[in-house]
Amino acid sequence: MTAQEIKAQGIGYRRKHLEFYDDKPIHYGILFAVPFTRFNIKHNSDFISKDSAFVIQSPTKFAFRMGFAINAFLTEHFDLRTTPSVSLYNRDVKFSYPNGTEKIEKRESTWIELPLLLKYKSLRRVNSRMYMIAGVTLGIETNVKRNRGGGSGRLDTKSSDVSLDYGVGYEQFFEFFKFAPELRFSHGLTNAFSPAKNSIGNGIGKMTTHTVTLYLNFE
């Protein structure tokens, strides 16, 4: 027996699961996700004034998201996809003042997010393939809880957002379902900052959302 024949026997037969998966025009699924999110903050001319904080930052916080996936077949390589979901966010803005005091404003809220995405997928290799995804997402805030830290200041943000999304994923086909982990980046396109009614907002000119999300898709 030759070395080539021995190697061929070692590889063996690999069964192709869900062989006619792409023949169906629409697929449905569920998703669970862990976003890591924060505000990108741009200062205004008041940032250098004596009443302003000398450091304004937004630390990265993790969140939770769950929803549904709807995937429509377009061509061999392209799909149209949406993943309507509900997200629980907790974004912070931390103000540090020259006199040594600090104030943290928390924006705890629930968002409904409606993405419209174009998906580019590679050729399937037995039971796996890679894909890239890009599109836009409309986010609507349904409720919010503010923590004012015992002070009179308040930081307001808008209750809607539009973001640019892009990412990569990997599809693994099993006997009864497809599992697809995905890493998606989201950059807010609109200014989420609403002018504050007192000095807590001094120094902020623009705030946009920034989120990196790990998805677990089941279809």
Side-chain angles (χ1 to χ4, degrees):
M1 183 178 293
T2 66
Q4 185 175 1
E5 290 174 335
I6 294 175
K7 183 177 180 181
Q9 288 184 357
I11 295 175
Y13 170 74
R14 293 183 62 194
R15 178 183 176 186
K16 188 174 183 179
H17 299 303
L18 303 176
E19 185 173 358
F20 304 104
Y21 183 88
D22 290 327
D23 293 341
K24 190 175 181 179
I26 298 179
H27 291 95
Y28 302 93
I30 60 173
L31 65 88
F32 302 94
V34 180
F36 295 87
T37 185
R38 60 179 171 84
F39 288 119
N40 280 333
I41 299 175
K42 291 187 177 180
H43 304 133
N44 60 17
S45 58
D46 293 334
F47 180 65
I48 59 175
S49 72
K50 64 180 181 179
D51 295 327
S52 171
F54 72 93
V55 175
I56 304 175
Q57 57 188 343
S58 179
T60 299
K61 310 283 286 187
F62 76 90
F64 176 75
R65 178 180 300 161
M66 64 181 301
F68 300 93
I70 304 173
N71 197 92
F73 178 87
L74 296 179
T75 69
E76 183 181 16
H77 288 289
F78 288 96
D79 291 344
L80 190 64
R81 185 173 178 84
T82 184
T83 55
S85 57
V86 175
S87 300
L88 305 177
Y89 288 128
N90 178 15
R91 296 186 177 106
D92 292 356
V93 177
K94 180 180 179 181
F95 300 83
S96 300
Y97 292 93
N99 61 5
T101 61
E102 294 183 344
K103 184 181 290 291
I104 297 178
E105 289 291 315
K106 293 182 179 293
R107 186 78 173 186
E108 300 176 359
S109 55
T110 302
W111 286 73
I112 296 175
E113 295 177 311
L114 306 171
L116 181 61
L117 306 163
L118 184 65
K119 174 182 174 182
Y120 173 79
K121 55 193 177 184
S122 67
L123 291 175
R124 179 173 170 174
R125 305 300 184 195
V126 189
N127 288 316
S128 62
R129 66 183 172 200
M130 300 292 295
Y131 67 89
M132 296 183 294
I133 199 163
V136 294
T137 295
L138 171 64
I140 302 172
E141 189 178 45
T142 59
N143 59 58
V144 61
K145 177 182 178 181
R146 296 185 182 92
N147 179 3
R148 302 184 183 181
S152 61
R154 184 181 70 183
L155 180 69
D156 287 326
T157 60
K158 296 178 180 178
S159 58
S160 63
D161 191 24
V162 176
S163 62
L164 174 66
D165 294 8
Y166 57 90
V168 296
Y170 172 80
E171 296 181 336
Q172 181 66 43
F173 292 84
F174 295 94
E175 185 174 1
F176 299 110
F177 67 96
K178 181 184 72 175
F179 172 62
E182 176 186 321
L183 186 65
R184 191 185 303 177
F185 301 86
S186 177
H187 303 279
L189 301 177
T190 60
N191 186 2
F193 178 67
S194 295
K197 297 179 181 180
N198 49 54
S199 61
I200 192 68
N202 282 358
I204 297 178
K206 183 178 182 180
M207 291 197 312
T208 55
T209 56
H210 175 73
T211 307
V212 179
T213 306
L214 174 63
Y215 282 86
L216 301 177
N217 299 289
F218 300 85
E219 296 179 32

